[in-house]
């Protein structure tokens, strides 16, 4: 199965189902209706707020976590911005750098009013008078600008374009780009909630987080269910066709095997989780629950909710080598440890994949993958180290086999453009 679908129980409010029949935000000609404002208003959109504190309490009680990757409690982040002195700024971050994720672009193309409604509510909760929508996708920009022209006028919102790169969506890179600089991370502290756009306390919120805030506001009776839902991008070579992909909305805790079966990946033997951040997982992956705590306990991470399935013909060494090569190429080249670390990981892993090494490089890879996390300005270095570490820990036999015989899947040099992981927006 490919395309867009929901596994939420019937009648449960979601981000996909209410407007699944609204059509894409832009047709082949580049124009189209997107999300219809009249229907959005009829379903409770842009409803007046009863004050920021009740909604903040509701978000906290529902347990809403951010959907940008870290899974940080949304109410805690909102309160941190509100409580920092100065007039705050709010940003809807729609730049998903993970090559295997499409949820944010889909939301901006198809549910722009829902995202803008969430931005409005975030502004009310933080005391912000100004907002930004940050993106790199043409169709998403057209949909957002149409919605901005229709929506209620407050707060003032501008759109900022950026180049699509792995690090462009990191929150300090977002701030730097909005301030007129390059979309590259900066050292922390200060973090954006302390000093962000123009020096103001700034909330940088993923667009799915904002969409869920808006839905919780309009459906307070279903706040816990809305907070527990996840948009996930499913990809891989597929059981029947190359590149079987799907965007799904699913309840928290659903076993990964259910998602694999529904999206045409029933024969998968392993999975790369969290985009590139959660690393590889082999034996036992079908029973893993799709939620932050369950995956963390299993030694992996949900990240942005992107899952790439590996089938019997896929070599985990080849997948890890391509991931490391891509991350090395995407380095912002600002931190010496990131430049040298990602290059060393990618180069050494490529030699392992080709069987082109006389010594045993796994000791060096083990050591680097333990020492490098946390030493860069953003999470790119951590992702590269985790991919390598999980390959060595969970597929030691496959790694060792490359010393004894040529691997057909690893015969060609690993591309560094992330092509294996790229997913079209459905």
């Amino acid at each position: 199965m490919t395309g867009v679908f929901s596994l939420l129980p019937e009648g449960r409010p979601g981000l996909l189902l209410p407007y699944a029949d609204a059509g894409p935000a832009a047709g082949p000609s580049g124009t189209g209706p997107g999300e219809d404002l009249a229907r959005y208003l009829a379903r409770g959109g842009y409803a007046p707020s009863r004050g920021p504190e009740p909604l903040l309490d509701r978000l906290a009680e529902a347990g809403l976590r951010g959907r940008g990757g870290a899974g940080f409690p949304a109410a805690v982040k909102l309160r941190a911005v509100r409580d920092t002195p100065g007039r705050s700024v709010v940003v809807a971050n729609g730049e998903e750098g993970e090559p295997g994720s499409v949820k944010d672009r889909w939301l901006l193309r198809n549910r722009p009013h829902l995202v803008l409604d969430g931005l409005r509510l975030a502004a009310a909760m933080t005391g912000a008078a100004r907002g930004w929508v940050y993106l790199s996708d043409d169709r998403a920009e057209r949909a957002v600008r149409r919605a901005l022209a229709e929506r209620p006028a407050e707060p003032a919102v501008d759109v900022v374009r950026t180049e699509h790169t792995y690090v462009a969506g990191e929150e300090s890179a977002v701030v730097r780009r909005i301030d007129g600089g390059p979309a590259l991370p900066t050292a922390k502290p200060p973090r954006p909630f302390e000093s962000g756009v123009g020096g103001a306390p700034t909330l940088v919120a993923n667009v799915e987080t904002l969409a869920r805030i808006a839905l919780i506001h309009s459906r307070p009776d279903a706040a816990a269910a809305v907070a527990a839902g996840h948009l996930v991008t499913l990809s891989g070579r597929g059981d029947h066709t190359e590149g079987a992909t799907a965007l799904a909305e699913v309840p928290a805790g659903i076993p990964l095997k259910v998602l694999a079966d529904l999206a045409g990946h029933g024969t998968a033997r392993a999975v790369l989780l969290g985009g590139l951040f959660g690393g590889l997982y082999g034996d036992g992956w079908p029973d893993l629950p799709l939620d932050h705590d369950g995956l963390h306990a299993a030694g992996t991470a949900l990240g942005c909710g992107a899952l790439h399935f590996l089938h019997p013909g896929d070599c985990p060494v080849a997948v890890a080598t391509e991931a490391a090569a891509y991350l090395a190429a995407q380095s912002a080249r600002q931190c010496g440890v990131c430049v040298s670390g990602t290059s060393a990981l990618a180069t050494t892993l490529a030699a392992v994949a080709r069987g082109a090494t006389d010594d045993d490089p796994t000791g060096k890879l083990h050591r680097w993958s333990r020492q490098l996390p946390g030493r860069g300005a953003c999470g790119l270095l951590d992702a590269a180290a985790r991919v390598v570490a999980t390959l060595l820990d969970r597929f030691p036999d496959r790694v060792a086999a490359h010393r004894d015989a040529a691997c057909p899947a690893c015969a060609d040099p690993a591309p560094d453009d992330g092509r294996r992981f790229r997913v079209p927006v459905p």
Side-chain angles (χ1 to χ4, degrees), residues 22-410:
S29 66
T31 60
E35 184 173 42
D36 181 78
L37 175 62
R39 292 178 62 197
Y40 184 64
L41 292 172
R43 292 174 185 248
Y46 295 117
S49 171
R50 291 184 290 275
E53 204 60 36
L55 181 55
L56 275 167
D57 290 341
R58 189 176 306 131
L59 298 179
E61 291 167 5
L64 179 66
R65 295 188 181 194
R67 294 300 195 270
F72 194 76
V76 173
K77 190 172 183 178
L78 284 157
R79 285 192 167 110
V81 174
R82 180 199 64 183
D83 294 342
T84 301
R87 194 62 184 269
S88 60
V89 172
V90 290
V91 180
N93 184 4
E95 170 49 27
E96 47 193 347
E98 292 283 1
S101 180
V102 298
K103 68 183 183 67
D104 297 336
R105 282 167 288 171
W106 191 93
L107 280 171
L108 290 173
R109 291 180 182 189
N110 294 277
R111 302 299 314 272
H113 281 296
L114 188 67
V115 173
L116 292 174
D117 199 359
L119 190 65
R120 171 187 72 97
L121 295 165
M125 287 185 282
T126 60
R130 183 173 184 135
W132 304 85
V133 179
Y134 179 81
L135 46 73
S136 64
D137 181 67
D138 287 337
R139 285 179 55 181
E141 181 179 5
R142 288 194 292 270
V144 168
R145 290 192 183 279
R146 281 194 299 271
L148 283 172
E150 298 176 324
R151 72 174 183 111
E154 297 296 331
V157 175
D158 292 312
V159 177
V160 172
R161 284 289 299 264
T162 187
E163 294 297 318
H164 179 63
T165 67
Y166 188 84
V167 300
E170 194 272 341
E171 62 176 7
S172 67
V174 173
V175 168
R176 196 172 177 184
R177 177 68 188 92
I178 292 175
D179 276 341
L184 298 174
T186 59
K188 275 82 69 177
R191 293 191 173 275
F193 81 88
E194 299 167 308
S195 178
V197 176
T202 300
L203 174 77
V204 180
N206 174 263
V207 295
E208 184 188 348
T209 310
L210 295 171
R212 293 195 181 278
I213 289 173
L215 199 54
I216 287 171
H217 176 62
S218 64
R219 288 291 306 275
D221 58 311
V226 173
H230 290 275
L231 290 181
V232 293
T233 310
L234 311 173
S235 65
R237 298 187 183 278
D239 289 352
H240 307 295
T241 61
E242 288 290 316
T245 63
L247 175 66
E249 186 167 17
V250 303
I254 190 170
L256 300 194
K257 176 63 172 171
V258 175
L259 301 181
D261 287 342
L262 284 172
H265 297 288
T267 65
R269 301 290 180 85
V271 62
L272 178 65
L273 293 113
L276 304 180
F277 188 77
L280 289 158
Y281 210 97
D283 293 343
W285 74 264
D287 298 323
L288 290 177
L290 191 105
D291 66 69
H292 285 284
D293 293 337
L295 292 176
H296 179 74
T300 184
L302 178 59
C304 64
L307 308 177
H308 182 83
F309 295 98
L310 281 64
H311 290 260
D314 293 318
C315 175
V317 177
V319 173
T321 302
E322 289 192 32
Y326 173 74
L327 290 167
Q330 289 290 306
S331 170
R333 311 197 73 77
Q334 297 185 132
C335 306
V337 68
C338 180
V339 174
S340 60
T342 57
S343 176
L345 289 170
T347 302
T348 306
L349 196 55
V352 171
R354 299 192 308 271
T357 177
D358 295 329
D359 60 352
D360 183 3
T362 57
K364 290 188 294 186
L365 290 171
H366 272 295
R367 184 173 67 256
W368 294 335
S369 64
R370 291 192 301 267
Q371 294 174 345
L372 290 173
R375 298 183 62 188
C378 68
L380 183 146
L381 182 59
D382 294 10
R386 186 183 289 235
V387 167
V388 174
T390 53
L391 172 70
L392 298 176
D393 291 344
R394 294 172 181 150
F395 301 91
D397 294 343
R398 298 296 296 271
V399 174
H402 284 68
R403 290 177 56 87
D404 302 323
C407 173
C410 298

